[in-house]
Structures are given as C-alpha cells and as structure tokens.
Amino acid sequence: MGEVIDLTRKAPKEGNLITARPLEFRRGDWHGGYALMCTRAESTRYEAHRLEAFRAHGHRHIAFVPNHFTLDGGYHYTVLGLFRYRDDEVMMRRVYRLAGMMECVTGASSPILRTDLLRRFYKTILEEREALNVVWRGNVVHFLLPLHTELHNPNLLRHKIANAESLKALYNEIESETDAQFDILSQSYVFYLPESFLPPNLKSQGN
C-alpha cells in the first residue's frame, strides 16, 4: 500500500468533499495511485481520523486509509468516466450501462451474442463510447466496479445475460442490472480520488 499511497504528506485540508450525489467523491490525502472505493462506514471512520489529524496542535500525518477496493485496471477507466459526469446522473448511468455492455462481451456468455446480432451489439458499444468519450485501455478484465457480496450477488448479471432471449431483452437486463448496481454504489460507497486524478480546479490548495 505504501508504494501506491504516500501517507507522509502534510496535514490534510479539512474539507475534502467534491460531490455528495449521485455518487460521493472525495479528495484523497495522497498525490498518486488509483482511486479508492470504501463503504460509508469505513469512510465515516476515516473522516473522523483525518479531522482529528487536521485539528491537532502542531503537525500530524494521516496514519491510515480506509479498508477499500483499489480501482485499478478496468475499474480506473470506469471511475474516470463516472467522475467526468459527476453532476449528471443520467450520463453517469449511461457510462455504467456501457461498462455493463463491455462486461457482457468480455466476461459473460450470451447466446444472443453468438449470432449475427453481435455486430449490432458492438455498433451500440462503439456509438456509446464515442458519445460518452469513455475508453478502456490495456488488458481489461472487469469493467463494473467491485461490490461486497453481502450487498450484491456477483453472478446475477451473468445469469441474466445468459437467459436473455432477444437483443432487446439483453439490453433491458443490462440496463436493469447496472442501474441496480449504481444504486448500491450511491447508497453504500464513497470514492476517494488522489490529487493526480483531479483537474486543476479541484485540487486542494496549499498541500
């Protein structure tokens, strides 16, 4: 963890909230590495710690980060796309639906996509990628963000995709499932973004 997150920087600035809804994004107290995603309970514990460090007399460092998922690999590009549209829930859900489509063609088996309908499906993906300006680079394994199993069954999307009997049904199942996952992300998780992730106008001042 120390190779990814530098915890030896100056004491944090107290306010780190970027957006509270639709997804909660906060500035991390480190410069480089990947975005982190943690439960709201872990975020609450971390926020109490960082405020204590901020308010302490003299210089004090952040001692830990919350228990989290590291959003590297394909997750990195997904959260980049979500963050780009952080003030527009409709567009964020489109990004996440596109991630679901990408998951469908790389990690899930659908009888529909073993027919000529595959070309129409790919055409939809390409059109959405261009419209949203979202691209996944490298050898990507997963596109949809990780969720704790007590909050969501990780096999549910694969099951729905495998049982879709038409292309329309496949689109509907992807939209339904990615909307449900987005709701869980909104209700149960917080995202911490390193400074290198942020545009200049959102970087903390004085760190």
Side-chain angles (χ1 to χ4, degrees):
M1 186 63 68
E3 293 179 358
V4 176
I5 300 172
D6 180 6
L7 297 179
T8 63
R9 305 187 70 225
K10 294 172 62 177
K13 293 299 179 184
E14 186 168 348
N16 65 350
L17 181 66
I18 299 172
T19 61
R21 290 286 186 271
L23 300 182
E24 184 168 323
F25 289 108
R26 291 180 176 271
R27 282 189 296 272
D29 299 300
W30 46 88
H31 177 74
Y34 295 99
L36 313 182
M37 186 179 93
C38 67
T39 63
R40 289 194 175 275
E42 278 296 315
S43 176
T44 297
R45 186 172 76 95
Y46 175 70
E47 289 301 316
H49 166 67
R50 74 182 296 279
L51 286 179
E52 181 184 357
F54 175 75
R55 293 168 177 167
H57 179 70
H59 185 71
R60 203 169 157 196
H61 296 298
I62 297 291
F64 67 89
V65 295
N67 292 324
H68 62 273
F69 293 112
T70 299
L71 301 182
D72 55 4
Y75 301 143
H76 172 71
Y77 298 103
T78 300
V79 77
L80 271 177
L82 292 171
F83 185 67
R84 176 178 294 127
Y85 297 106
R86 58 192 174 275
D87 297 317
D88 188 334
E89 182 171 347
V90 172
M91 295 294 280
M92 292 178 82
R93 288 180 182 272
R94 277 182 66 182
V95 169
Y96 211 62
R97 184 166 64 247
L98 175 58
M101 292 180 190
M102 297 293 293
E103 196 90 44
C104 185
V105 296
T106 60
S109 176
S110 169
I112 298 300
L113 300 184
R114 292 196 291 269
T115 70
D116 288 344
L117 294 174
L118 176 63
R119 282 180 289 183
R120 287 175 58 186
F121 192 76
Y122 267 117
K123 183 174 183 292
T124 301
I125 287 177
L126 293 175
E127 289 172 348
E128 281 293 273
R129 283 175 55 175
E130 183 175 355
L132 296 168
N133 192 25
V134 176
V135 177
W136 287 267
R137 295 184 173 87
N139 186 20
V140 177
V141 177
H142 292 295
F143 302 85
L144 295 173
L145 300 180
L147 299 172
H148 290 91
T149 54
E150 62 268 26
L151 296 177
H152 183 75
N153 180 350
N155 297 316
L156 191 56
L157 178 63
R158 292 170 183 265
H159 175 75
K160 290 183 175 181
I161 288 171
N163 287 280
E165 296 182 351
S166 67
L167 187 58
K168 181 179 179 181
L170 181 62
Y171 284 133
N172 288 341
E173 293 292 7
I174 292 171
E175 182 170 10
S176 172
E177 177 62 15
T178 56
D179 276 346
Q181 290 192 28
F182 188 91
D183 289 341
I184 294 170
L185 292 169
S186 178
Q187 295 163 9
S188 302
Y189 290 95
V190 176
F191 297 83
Y192 285 90
L193 311 178
E195 231 178 281
S196 59
F197 193 105
L198 301 173
N201 64 308
L202 290 178
K203 293 182 185 291
S204 58
Q205 300 299 315
N207 278 4

Coordinates of all heavy atoms in Angstrom, one line a residue, residues 85-136:
Y85 N -18.8 12.8 -15.5 CA -20.2 13.2 -15.5 C -20.8 13.3 -14.1 O -22.0 13.0 -13.8 CB -21.0 12.3 -16.3 CG -20.6 12.3 -17.8 CD1 -19.9 11.2 -18.3 CD2 -20.9 13.4 -18.6 CE1 -19.5 11.2 -19.6 CE2 -20.5 13.4 -19.9 CZ -19.8 12.3 -20.4 OH -19.3 12.3 -21.8
R86 N -20.0 13.6 -13.1 CA -20.3 13.5 -11.7 C -21.5 14.4 -11.3 O -22.2 14.1 -10.3 CB -19.1 14.0 -10.8 CG -18.6 15.4 -11.1 CD -17.3 15.6 -10.4 NE -16.7 16.9 -10.7 CZ -16.0 17.1 -11.8 NH1 -15.7 16.1 -12.7 NH2 -15.4 18.3 -12.1
D87 N -21.9 15.4 -12.1 CA -23.0 16.2 -11.8 C -24.3 15.9 -12.6 O -25.3 16.6 -12.6 CB -22.7 17.7 -12.0 CG -21.6 18.2 -11.1 OD1 -21.7 17.8 -9.9 OD2 -20.7 18.9 -11.5
D88 N -24.2 14.8 -13.4 CA -25.3 14.4 -14.3 C -25.6 12.9 -14.1 O -24.9 12.1 -14.7 CB -24.9 14.7 -15.7 CG -26.0 14.6 -16.7 OD1 -26.9 13.8 -16.4 OD2 -26.0 15.2 -17.8
E89 N -26.6 12.6 -13.3 CA -26.9 11.2 -13.0 C -27.3 10.4 -14.3 O -26.9 9.2 -14.4 CB -28.0 11.1 -12.0 CG -28.3 9.7 -11.6 CD -29.2 9.6 -10.4 OE1 -29.4 10.6 -9.7 OE2 -29.7 8.4 -10.1
V90 N -28.0 11.0 -15.2 CA -28.4 10.3 -16.4 C -27.2 9.8 -17.2 O -27.1 8.7 -17.6 CB -29.3 11.2 -17.2 CG1 -29.6 10.5 -18.6 CG2 -30.6 11.4 -16.5
M91 N -26.2 10.7 -17.3 CA -25.0 10.4 -18.1 C -24.1 9.4 -17.3 O -23.5 8.5 -17.9 CB -24.2 11.7 -18.4 CG -24.9 12.6 -19.3 SD -25.1 12.0 -21.0 CE -23.5 12.2 -21.6
M92 N -24.1 9.5 -16.0 CA -23.3 8.5 -15.2 C -23.9 7.1 -15.4 O -23.2 6.2 -15.5 CB -23.4 8.9 -13.7 CG -22.6 10.2 -13.4 SD -22.7 10.6 -11.7 CE -21.4 9.6 -11.0
R93 N -25.2 7.0 -15.4 CA -25.9 5.7 -15.6 C -25.6 5.2 -17.0 O -25.5 4.0 -17.2 CB -27.4 5.8 -15.3 CG -27.7 6.0 -13.8 CD -29.1 6.0 -13.5 NE -29.4 6.2 -12.1 CZ -29.5 5.3 -11.2 NH1 -29.4 4.0 -11.6 NH2 -29.8 5.5 -9.9
R94 N -25.5 6.1 -18.0 CA -25.1 5.6 -19.3 C -23.7 5.1 -19.3 O -23.5 4.0 -20.0 CB -25.2 6.8 -20.3 CG -26.6 7.1 -20.8 CD -26.6 8.2 -21.8 NE -25.9 7.9 -23.1 CZ -25.8 8.7 -24.1 NH1 -26.3 10.0 -24.0 NH2 -25.1 8.4 -25.1
V95 N -22.8 5.7 -18.6 CA -21.4 5.2 -18.5 C -21.4 3.8 -17.9 O -20.8 2.9 -18.4 CB -20.5 6.2 -17.7 CG1 -19.2 5.6 -17.4 CG2 -20.3 7.5 -18.5
Y96 N -22.2 3.7 -16.8 CA -22.2 2.4 -16.1 C -22.9 1.3 -17.0 O -22.5 0.2 -16.9 CB -22.8 2.6 -14.8 CG -22.2 1.6 -13.8 CD1 -20.9 1.7 -13.5 CD2 -23.0 0.6 -13.2 CE1 -20.3 0.8 -12.6 CE2 -22.4 -0.3 -12.3 CZ -21.1 -0.2 -12.0 OH -20.5 -1.1 -11.1
R97 N -23.9 1.7 -17.7 CA -24.6 0.8 -18.6 C -23.6 0.3 -19.7 O -23.5 -0.9 -20.1 CB -25.8 1.4 -19.3 CG -26.6 0.4 -20.1 CD -28.0 0.9 -20.5 NE -27.9 2.2 -21.3 CZ -28.3 3.4 -20.8 NH1 -28.8 3.5 -19.6 NH2 -28.3 4.4 -21.6
L98 N -22.8 1.3 -20.2 CA -21.7 0.9 -21.2 C -20.7 -0.1 -20.6 O -20.3 -1.0 -21.2 CB -21.0 2.2 -21.7 CG -19.9 2.0 -22.6 CD1 -20.3 1.2 -23.9 CD2 -19.2 3.3 -23.0
A99 N -20.3 0.2 -19.3 CA -19.4 -0.8 -18.6 C -20.1 -2.1 -18.6 O -19.4 -3.2 -18.7 CB -19.1 -0.2 -17.2
G100 N -21.4 -2.2 -18.3 CA -22.1 -3.5 -18.3 C -22.0 -4.2 -19.7 O -21.9 -5.4 -19.8
M101 N -22.2 -3.4 -20.8 CA -22.1 -3.9 -22.1 C -20.7 -4.5 -22.4 O -20.5 -5.6 -22.9 CB -22.4 -2.9 -23.1 CG -23.8 -2.4 -23.2 SD -24.1 -1.2 -24.5 CE -25.8 -0.6 -24.0
M102 N -19.7 -3.8 -21.9 CA -18.3 -4.2 -22.1 C -18.1 -5.5 -21.3 O -17.4 -6.5 -21.8 CB -17.3 -3.1 -21.6 CG -17.4 -1.9 -22.4 SD -16.8 -2.1 -24.2 CE -15.1 -2.4 -23.9
E103 N -18.6 -5.6 -20.1 CA -18.5 -6.8 -19.3 C -19.2 -8.0 -20.0 O -18.7 -9.1 -20.0 CB -19.2 -6.6 -18.0 CG -18.8 -7.5 -16.9 CD -17.6 -7.1 -16.1 OE1 -17.5 -6.0 -15.7 OE2 -16.8 -8.0 -15.8
C104 N -20.3 -7.7 -20.7 CA -21.0 -8.7 -21.4 C -20.2 -9.4 -22.5 O -20.3 -10.6 -22.7 CB -22.3 -8.0 -22.0 SG -23.4 -9.2 -22.7
V105 N -19.5 -8.6 -23.2 CA -18.7 -9.2 -24.4 C -17.4 -9.8 -24.0 O -16.8 -10.5 -24.8 CB -18.6 -8.2 -25.5 CG1 -19.9 -7.7 -26.1 CG2 -17.7 -7.0 -25.1
T106 N -16.9 -9.5 -22.8 CA -15.6 -10.0 -22.4 C -15.7 -11.0 -21.3 O -14.8 -11.9 -21.2 CB -14.7 -8.8 -21.9 OG1 -15.3 -8.2 -20.8 CG2 -14.5 -7.8 -23.0
G107 N -16.7 -11.0 -20.4 CA -16.7 -11.8 -19.3 C -17.9 -12.6 -19.0 O -18.0 -13.4 -18.0
A108 N -18.9 -12.5 -19.9 CA -20.2 -13.2 -19.7 C -20.6 -13.9 -21.0 O -20.2 -13.4 -22.1 CB -21.2 -12.2 -19.2
S109 N -21.3 -14.9 -20.9 CA -21.7 -15.7 -22.0 C -23.2 -15.5 -22.4 O -24.0 -15.6 -21.5 CB -21.5 -17.2 -21.8 OG -22.0 -18.0 -22.9
S110 N -23.4 -15.0 -23.6 CA -24.8 -14.8 -24.0 C -25.1 -15.5 -25.3 O -24.4 -15.3 -26.3 CB -25.1 -13.3 -24.2 OG -26.3 -13.1 -24.9
P111 N -26.1 -16.3 -25.4 CA -26.4 -17.0 -26.7 C -26.7 -16.0 -27.8 O -26.4 -16.2 -29.0 CB -27.7 -17.8 -26.3 CG -27.6 -18.0 -24.9 CD -27.0 -16.8 -24.3
I112 N -27.3 -14.8 -27.4 CA -27.6 -13.8 -28.4 C -26.4 -13.3 -29.1 O -26.4 -13.1 -30.3 CB -28.3 -12.6 -27.7 CG1 -29.6 -13.0 -27.0 CG2 -28.6 -11.5 -28.7 CD1 -30.6 -13.6 -28.0
L113 N -25.3 -13.2 -28.4 CA -24.0 -12.7 -28.9 C -23.2 -13.7 -29.7 O -22.1 -13.5 -30.1 CB -23.2 -12.0 -27.9 CG -23.9 -10.9 -27.1 CD1 -23.0 -10.2 -26.1 CD2 -24.4 -9.8 -28.1
R114 N -23.8 -14.9 -29.8 CA -23.2 -15.9 -30.7 C -23.9 -16.0 -32.0 O -23.8 -17.0 -32.8 CB -23.2 -17.3 -30.0 CG -22.2 -17.3 -28.8 CD -22.0 -18.7 -28.3 NE -23.1 -19.4 -27.7 CZ -23.4 -19.4 -26.5 NH1 -22.7 -18.7 -25.6 NH2 -24.5 -20.0 -26.0
T115 N -24.7 -14.9 -32.3 CA -25.4 -14.9 -33.6 C -24.9 -13.6 -34.3 O -24.1 -12.8 -33.9 CB -26.9 -14.8 -33.4 OG1 -27.2 -13.5 -32.8 CG2 -27.3 -15.9 -32.5
D116 N -25.6 -13.3 -35.5 CA -25.3 -12.1 -36.2 C -25.6 -10.8 -35.5 O -25.2 -9.7 -35.8 CB -26.0 -12.1 -37.6 CG -25.4 -13.1 -38.6 OD1 -24.3 -13.6 -38.3 OD2 -26.1 -13.4 -39.5
L117 N -26.4 -11.0 -34.4 CA -26.7 -9.8 -33.6 C -25.5 -9.2 -32.9 O -25.6 -8.1 -32.4 CB -27.8 -10.2 -32.6 CG -29.2 -10.6 -33.2 CD1 -30.1 -11.1 -32.1 CD2 -29.8 -9.4 -33.9
L118 N -24.5 -10.0 -32.8 CA -23.2 -9.4 -32.2 C -22.8 -8.2 -32.8 O -22.3 -7.2 -32.1 CB -22.1 -10.5 -32.2 CG -20.8 -10.1 -31.7 CD1 -20.9 -9.8 -30.2 CD2 -19.7 -11.2 -31.9
R119 N -22.9 -8.1 -34.1 CA -22.5 -6.9 -34.8 C -23.3 -5.7 -34.4 O -22.7 -4.6 -34.3 CB -22.5 -7.1 -36.4 CG -21.4 -7.9 -36.9 CD -21.5 -8.1 -38.4 NE -22.6 -9.0 -38.8 CZ -22.8 -9.4 -40.0 NH1 -22.1 -8.9 -41.0 NH2 -23.8 -10.2 -40.3
R120 N -24.6 -5.8 -34.3 CA -25.4 -4.7 -33.8 C -25.1 -4.3 -32.4 O -25.1 -3.1 -32.0 CB -26.9 -5.1 -33.9 CG -27.4 -5.2 -35.3 CD -28.9 -5.7 -35.4 NE -29.8 -4.9 -34.6 CZ -31.1 -5.3 -34.3 NH1 -31.5 -6.4 -34.9 NH2 -31.8 -4.5 -33.6
F121 N -24.8 -5.3 -31.6 CA -24.4 -5.0 -30.2 C -23.1 -4.2 -30.1 O -22.9 -3.2 -29.4 CB -24.2 -6.3 -29.4 CG -24.1 -6.1 -27.9 CD1 -25.2 -5.9 -27.1 CD2 -22.9 -6.3 -27.3 CE1 -25.1 -5.7 -25.8 CE2 -22.8 -6.1 -25.9 CZ -23.9 -5.8 -25.1
Y122 N -22.1 -4.6 -30.9 CA -20.8 -3.9 -31.0 C -21.0 -2.5 -31.5 O -20.4 -1.5 -31.1 CB -19.8 -4.7 -31.9 CG -18.9 -5.6 -31.1 CD1 -18.9 -6.9 -31.3 CD2 -18.0 -5.1 -30.1 CE1 -18.1 -7.8 -30.6 CE2 -17.2 -5.9 -29.4 CZ -17.3 -7.3 -29.6 OH -16.4 -8.1 -28.9
K123 N -21.9 -2.3 -32.5 CA -22.2 -1.0 -33.0 C -22.7 -0.1 -31.9 O -22.3 1.1 -31.8 CB -23.2 -1.1 -34.2 CG -23.5 0.2 -34.9 CD -24.4 0.0 -36.1 CE -24.7 1.3 -36.8 NZ -25.5 2.2 -36.1
T124 N -23.6 -0.6 -31.1 CA -24.1 0.2 -29.9 C -23.0 0.6 -29.0 O -22.9 1.7 -28.5 CB -25.2 -0.6 -29.2 OG1 -26.3 -1.0 -30.1 CG2 -25.7 0.2 -28.0
I125 N -22.1 -0.4 -28.7 CA -21.0 -0.1 -27.8 C -20.1 1.0 -28.4 O -19.7 2.0 -27.7 CB -20.1 -1.3 -27.6 CG1 -20.9 -2.3 -26.7 CG2 -18.8 -1.0 -27.0 CD1 -20.1 -3.6 -26.4
L126 N -19.8 0.9 -29.7 CA -18.9 1.9 -30.3 C -19.6 3.3 -30.3 O -18.9 4.3 -30.1 CB -18.6 1.5 -31.7 CG -17.7 0.3 -31.8 CD1 -17.5 -0.1 -33.3 CD2 -16.3 0.5 -31.2
E127 N -20.9 3.3 -30.6 CA -21.6 4.6 -30.6 C -21.6 5.2 -29.2 O -21.4 6.5 -29.0 CB -23.0 4.4 -31.1 CG -23.1 4.1 -32.6 CD -24.5 3.7 -33.0 OE1 -25.4 3.4 -32.2 OE2 -24.7 3.6 -34.3
E128 N -21.8 4.4 -28.2 CA -21.9 5.0 -26.8 C -20.5 5.4 -26.4 O -20.3 6.4 -25.7 CB -22.4 3.9 -25.9 CG -23.9 3.8 -25.9 CD -24.6 5.0 -25.3 OE1 -24.8 5.1 -24.1 OE2 -24.9 5.9 -26.1
R129 N -19.4 4.6 -26.7 CA -18.1 5.0 -26.4 C -17.7 6.4 -27.0 O -17.1 7.3 -26.3 CB -17.1 4.0 -26.9 CG -17.0 2.8 -26.0 CD -16.1 1.7 -26.6 NE -14.8 2.2 -26.8 CZ -13.8 1.4 -27.2 NH1 -14.0 0.1 -27.4 NH2 -12.6 1.9 -27.4
E130 N -18.1 6.6 -28.2 CA -17.8 7.9 -28.9 C -18.7 9.0 -28.2 O -18.2 10.1 -28.0 CB -18.1 7.8 -30.4 CG -17.8 9.1 -31.1 CD -17.9 8.9 -32.6 OE1 -18.2 7.8 -33.1 OE2 -17.8 9.9 -33.3
A131 N -19.9 8.8 -28.0 CA -20.8 9.8 -27.4 C -20.4 10.2 -26.0 O -20.5 11.4 -25.7 CB -22.3 9.3 -27.4
L132 N -19.9 9.2 -25.2 CA -19.6 9.5 -23.8 C -18.1 9.8 -23.7 O -17.7 10.3 -22.6 CB -19.9 8.3 -23.0 CG -21.4 7.9 -22.9 CD1 -21.6 6.5 -22.3 CD2 -22.2 9.0 -22.1
N133 N -17.3 9.6 -24.7 CA -15.9 9.8 -24.6 C -15.2 9.0 -23.5 O -14.5 9.5 -22.7 CB -15.5 11.3 -24.5 CG -14.0 11.5 -24.7 OD1 -13.4 10.8 -25.4 ND2 -13.5 12.6 -24.1
V134 N -15.6 7.7 -23.4 CA -15.1 6.8 -22.4 C -14.4 5.6 -23.1 O -15.0 5.0 -24.0 CB -16.2 6.2 -21.5 CG1 -15.7 5.2 -20.6 CG2 -16.9 7.4 -20.8
V135 N -13.2 5.4 -22.8 CA -12.4 4.3 -23.4 C -11.6 3.5 -22.3 O -11.1 4.1 -21.4 CB -11.3 4.9 -24.4 CG1 -10.5 3.8 -25.0 CG2 -12.0 5.7 -25.5
W136 N -11.7 2.2 -22.4 CA -10.9 1.4 -21.5 C -9.6 0.9 -22.3 O -9.7 0.4 -23.4 CB -11.7 0.1 -21.1 CG -12.8 0.5 -20.1 CD1 -12.7 0.4 -18.8 CD2 -14.1 0.9 -20.4 NE1 -13.9 0.8 -18.2 CE2 -14.8 1.0 -19.2 CE3 -14.8 1.1 -21.6 CZ2 -16.1 1.4 -19.1 CZ3 -16.1 1.5 -21.5 CH2 -16.8 1.7 -20.3

